[in-house]
Amino acid sequence: MACLMTLRSTPYGLQAAKESLDVTLVLAAFEQSPGILFIDDGVLQLLPPSHLPSSYKHIGKILCALEMYDIHQLWVEQQSLEQFGLLATDLSQTVTVIDRSKVASLYTQYDQHLVF
Amino acid sequence: MAGFLYMPNLTTVKPSAPNTGSLTYTIVVRCGADQQSQALSAFCFTKELLLQGHQVIRVFFYQQGVYLASGLKVMPQDETNLTTLWQQLSIDHDLELGVCIAAALQAGVVDQQEANRYELRGDNLAARFTLVGLGQLAAASAECDRLVSFGG
């Protein structure tokens, strides 16, 4: 039962980004092989910690744990990256960039979806 | 409440209709009472599932949804107290109401055991709700035919 997590939340100010990654790790621990699609403000979660004021507790450590939890399916929507003037090489994780027109077919590859 | 045009009857209990194509559901509630129409939709959807003879493995309250598990809310007379509605639904259908323990503790929603553990002045988890780990969401999502999430 594979679940695609669609993460749309900014990492700033809200708990939502951390909470969505917590769910992702737990799903992985239960061997449900979750994938993650970063879209809209969610792409900002992938910025390296150096882009943030040090007073923020950054979610970077959780992102580093993704690989340890065997979460390798990381997708980033192309248009969301462009909206922030980012390139895939700016991001802290190795991701697959996917065009908006391909998102619908990505969704069909998963049994369940959680949107945060 | 803007846009919420259809107001179902929240209190009647119809007998379950025989349903041959019944499915198992897991419901995730991530919106609190301040997002009344979304939170109400979650309740109405769950209730309708049960009335139609589907099974709900567990309702999992997460993020803002944990506030619905606080028993220390007083609503104005003309407004709906969703906490009591969930409690009644849980009694009527033996429905499991799981609340994410990490989110609940941060929101100040604690049961007696946690209140003792952290030496807090009191506890406020409403009856029928239980504090559980995120693993209970993962387990239920693995088991169910349909996972439906509200809010966010």
Side-chain angles (χ1 to χ4, degrees), chain A residues 1 15 19 32 112 115-116, chain B residues 30 62-63 106 138 141 144:
Chain A
M1 192 69 89
Q15 286 273 29
E19 287 170 328
Q32 292 186 51
Q112 293 180 340
V115 183
F116 278 83
Chain B
R30 293 161 45 214
Y62 193 43
Q63 295 187 302
Q106 287 186 56
S141 81
C144 67

Side-chain angles (χ1 to χ4, degrees), chain A residues 57-94:
Chain A
K57 188 177 174 193
H58 192 253
I59 55 172
K61 281 183 184 161
I62 307 180
L63 289 171
C64 292
L66 293 179
E67 191 166 0
M68 206 166 67
Y69 278 77
D70 279 335
I71 302 169
H72 304 294
Q73 305 291 317
L74 302 182
W75 311 87
V76 176
E77 195 223 31
Q78 171 78 42
Q79 283 75 3
S80 302
L81 276 183
E82 287 170 4
Q83 183 190 342
F84 292 103
L86 294 169
L87 299 169
T89 49
D90 294 328
L91 308 177
S92 65
Q93 304 293 312
T94 309

Side-chain angles (χ1 to χ4, degrees), chain A residues 1-4 32 110-114, chain B residues 141-142 144-147:
Chain A
M1 192 69 89
C3 183
L4 183 66
Q32 292 186 51
Y110 289 84
D111 304 309
Q112 293 180 340
H113 299 275
L114 279 170
Chain B
S141 81
C144 67
D145 299 313
R146 297 283 185 274
L147 172 70

Side-chain angles (χ1 to χ4, degrees), chain A residues 19, chain B residues 61-63 66 99-109:
Chain A
E19 287 170 328
Chain B
F61 296 85
Y62 193 43
Q63 295 187 302
V66 301
V99 185
C100 173
I101 186 166
L105 287 175
Q106 287 186 56
V109 177

Side-chain angles (χ1 to χ4, degrees), chain A residues 19-30:
Chain A
E19 287 170 328
S20 61
L21 288 170
D22 285 346
V23 171
T24 314
L25 295 186
V26 171
L27 287 174
F30 278 68

